[in-house]
Amino acid sequence: MKSVQILILILCISAFSCTSSIAEKNLNPYKQYITVLGIAQDAGYPQINCEKECCAAYYKSEESKKLVSCLGLIDLEAKQKWLFDATPNIGEQTEILKKDHLDNGYIIDGVFLTHAHIGHYTGLMYLGLEALGSDKIPVYVMPRMKNYLETNGPWSQLVNKNNIELQRLKNDSTINLNNRLEVKPILVPHRDEYSETVGYKIIGKNKTALFIPDIDKWEKWERNIIEEVKKVDYAFLDASFFRDGELNRDMSEIPHPFTTETTTLFQDEDLVTKNKIYFIHFNHTNPTIRDKNALKDSIQSLGFKFAKEGDNFQL
């Protein structure tokens, strides 16, 4: 009899432990929030055919894989979720949203695209006939981006077969996702071969985020990035390259704000302002893409931060 009681006690403890661990995994204090789903530049990390030390560190199991730059937006009250950019890692990123954040029966409730460079829209191909075969997923786009997708294959097939439903955006014009969340596209200067480029303001009831994964140089923008950062609670900013000379090519042909340029620009600002900045969209050559790096530590010691996959930000 005593052995039976002990067995029942063990089973009860095991059941409680399993329930607790599941509850802890799914416990999220935020109702509306942003989650970081990727931090790498368009080609990911490690990058194709890279035999440099930066990528060798991954193959030697010294570094973790980094998914392509992407944010998820979740509203647990409305049971809705959105992606900011459709990356080549969209399969993994939507699965993370489903398993770790919200399974509402839909792969995604909408996708906001920043521009037509490979890391930011080519994930749409997995929504098409050869893969998911989705049904009218809203894809929010600026006018040139809309025209590009409608008039160029294979993207036009997604439109023609109603895999996606293009929703036209207007610069600096807010759209309401629901009564708690708003999104505003903001044009930024970039290499606009096929489409314009935008960043986004993501506006919640309590907090606001700025997402600019790609821009040429801050001084080319008609807006003042310092003032824009001060207006928000979080600023996810382009950190493709750490400094000039990082590549064996003319880096003026692929302009981005170097991390060193951004930190210098903000060096006289207070700690509150610096703390709002989360660097994102790292090229594989940028040493601060690494999990642990002395340069990364030095930048953080100044008050700046680095976006990390899995981080959540309350709105």
Side-chain angles (χ1 to χ4, degrees), residues 69-183:
S69 171
C70 178
L71 298 182
L73 174 62
I74 300 102
D75 186 340
L76 295 179
E77 287 185 274
K79 292 183 168 42
Q80 292 176 293
K81 55 188 176 180
W82 298 266
L83 283 176
F84 283 79
D85 278 332
T87 82
N89 300 129
I90 192 171
E92 294 163 89
Q93 289 164 334
T94 53
E95 189 66 14
I96 291 169
L97 282 180
K98 177 181 177 180
K99 286 189 173 181
D100 297 343
H101 299 278
L102 174 65
D103 183 0
N104 62 354
Y106 299 96
I107 187 169
I108 202 71
D109 291 288
V111 180
F112 288 85
L113 300 183
T114 56
H115 64 300
H117 284 162
I118 66 166
H120 303 266
Y121 81 103
T122 58
L124 294 177
M125 63 187 173
Y126 294 107
L127 305 180
L129 182 67
E130 301 87 346
L132 182 64
S134 60
D135 182 29
K136 295 183 178 179
I137 291 179
V139 176
Y140 297 87
V141 290
M142 293 293 286
R144 282 188 63 202
M145 187 82 212
K146 182 175 184 289
N147 181 68
Y148 176 71
L149 294 175
E150 289 173 330
T151 57
N152 291 276
W155 321 110
S156 55
Q157 180 173 283
L158 296 169
V159 178
N160 296 335
K161 290 189 175 296
N162 295 314
N163 299 127
I164 63 175
E165 195 167 62
L166 299 179
Q167 307 290 321
R168 182 166 172 160
L169 298 172
K170 183 180 179 181
N171 178 46
D172 210 24
S173 182
T174 302
I175 67 164
N176 297 308
L177 296 178
N178 54 44
N179 61 4
R180 290 171 294 273
L181 293 171
E182 299 176 341
V183 175

Side-chain angles (χ1 to χ4, degrees), residues 38-51:
I39 65 168
Q41 178 263 2
D42 301 44
Y45 175 88
Q47 196 169 118
I48 184 172
N49 199 38
C50 174
E51 297 179 0

